[in-house]
Amino acid sequence: PRAPSTRNDIRDCSADPPYLPPTATNTTARLAALRGTMRTHGVHAYIVPSTDAHMSEYISERDARLGWLTGFTGSAGTAVVTQDKAGLWTDSRYWTQAERELDCNWELQRTTSIESIGMWILMAIPAGGNVSLDPFLFSIDTWNSYSRALQGSGRTLLPLETNLVDQAWGDQRPLPSSSEIYSLPAEFTGSSWQEKVDGIRQQMEQHMRRPTAVLLSGLEETAWLFNLRGDDIPYNPVFYSYTLLTNTTISLFVEESRLSAAAQESLRSGCPGPLCVELQEYGQVSAHLRRYAQGNVTVWLGTEYTTYGLYGIIPQEKLLEENYSPVMTAKAVKNAREQEMLRAAHVRDAVAVIQYLLWLEKTVPQGQVDEFSGAQHIDALRWAQEHSRGPSFQSISASG
């Protein structure tokens, strides 16, 4: 056993009574609510990830299920809850942070391996138990890893489309974003969305498997394809959406009321016809895909951004799987206009950084600036540059 810590900013669960710093979250009621929903659904262990339904690196507050349940606000982790235990797995970047934010309901596991999570589950629940998760929050690879970890153990891995954390969270869960989704001006894109769609359809025709559709789950895929932007996730110019692109139709699953008038006009400009974008409710993607997959079809998708939930809807023989969709690979190759815009953006940013360094040289000797006010100042200098939409991540500011 480790010697009791003399630090007062981290928890000490061996003390009597346990010591919790003011940064820790009391999760007793939240765990009780989750365990109630688990009993209702006959679930013995429930796995909660830190991602969203699009495998995004950054997520919105509405998708911060792990953070709400545990109090831990790091960007990567996995929680598992049983009726009498709760564990959080995270990597070494976050161990000190977790000890500050978790209360004593939680065991901190200093690893991220699925094998270790699987071993913990086997110790925590007896044979015959159900291990459940929301298949729309796990990648295909991660699902397969859990499946292997539990294989032959007498425990069943059970996909459950009702998200139990959402049920426990109830009406306290943040609402979906209602901000406007807007068109990116042509001067920034170098090609229209119609040209991009034609390019993807050509790739479909040239592929030896002759796929009949491409499914897009990654948020930046749909944003790039239609030259649309939003701000559903802090620091990321994306919006919640899916796309199913066939040889003759285009289905965009998005909250239609949020599209700007110009965006709606642009998407409908080719109606009726093969370049007409049919707008469908965001939540209808599974039902639509289920219907589509009944036909004589082949669906091309990128496994890196597709959840196991969507993947499982399409029969195996109707799937064309690659790591990345043709949209993701097309997006990676910048046209001449995009290259020009990238360089121009870097020049504007360099101006802000040079102004900042000059400001630091003058103000630091006066003792008037700390790391936080410095970060605020460089943000302000960047905002002052033309076309600024804010930083691409929260400033990481440190000196000494």
Side-chain angles (χ1 to χ4, degrees), residues 295-306:
N296 180 21
V297 299
T298 303
V299 180
W300 192 359
L301 54 79
T303 53
E304 289 289 319
Y305 289 88
T306 307

Side-chain angles (χ1 to χ4, degrees), residues 120-239:
W120 188 92
I121 290 171
L122 297 184
M123 302 283 284
I125 65 164
N130 286 328
V131 180
S132 213
L133 48 75
D134 179 344
F136 291 93
L137 293 179
F138 287 82
S139 70
I140 301 156
D141 280 354
T142 307
W143 168 274
N144 291 336
S145 299
Y146 280 114
S147 193
R148 281 193 298 272
L150 299 174
Q151 204 167 16
S153 70
R155 282 83 169 169
T156 309
L157 189 58
L158 193 70
L160 202 60
E161 294 196 13
T162 305
N163 189 290
L164 301 189
V165 174
D166 292 353
Q167 282 203 335
W169 204 345
D171 58 8
Q172 298 300 300
R173 187 179 174 212
L175 294 169
S177 175
S178 58
S179 61
E180 188 175 73
I181 299 166
Y182 57 94
S183 286
L184 205 58
E187 66 191 272
F188 292 103
T189 62
S191 59
S192 68
W193 69 259
Q194 291 91 340
E195 289 167 334
K196 291 177 179 180
V197 165
D198 283 341
I200 302 303
R201 282 176 170 160
Q202 279 173 21
Q203 287 194 52
M204 290 162 68
E205 277 171 32
Q206 289 159 6
H207 198 289
M208 57 189 288
R209 290 272 314 271
R210 297 301 287 270
T212 60
V214 175
L215 174 67
L216 305 179
S217 290
L219 298 182
E220 58 270 50
E221 297 180 294
T222 288
W224 177 85
L225 184 65
F226 297 112
N227 293 333
L228 296 174
R229 297 291 185 268
D231 60 2
D232 291 12
I233 298 176
Y235 308 108
N236 291 260
V238 295
F239 51 93

Side-chain angles (χ1 to χ4, degrees), residues 27-28 36 44 51 75 96 100 112 121 123 126 173 175 216 221 230 239 243 257 283 289 314 320 324 349 356 389:
T27 62
T28 302
H44 302 106
T51 187
S75 68
T96 303
R100 287 175 176 155
T112 54
I121 290 171
M123 302 283 284
R173 187 179 174 212
L175 294 169
L216 305 179
E221 297 180 294
F239 51 93
T243 300
S257 62
L289 195 57
I314 307 160
L320 167 55
Y324 298 100
D349 194 63
Y356 180 60
R389 306 289 301 198

Side-chain angles (χ1 to χ4, degrees), residues 38 41-46 81-84 124-126 128-132:
M38 287 167 61
H41 287 86
V43 169
H44 302 106
Y46 193 63
V81 176
T82 68
Q83 284 302 331
D84 57 355
I125 65 164
N130 286 328
V131 180
S132 213

Side-chain angles (χ1 to χ4, degrees), residues 10 28 77 99 110 116 130 133 136 146 179 192 230 246 260 268 282 352:
I10 63 172
T28 302
E99 294 286 12
R110 289 173 162 77
S116 126
N130 286 328
L133 48 75
F136 291 93
Y146 280 114
S179 61
S192 68
T246 77
S260 71
R268 294 217 166 99
Y282 172 76

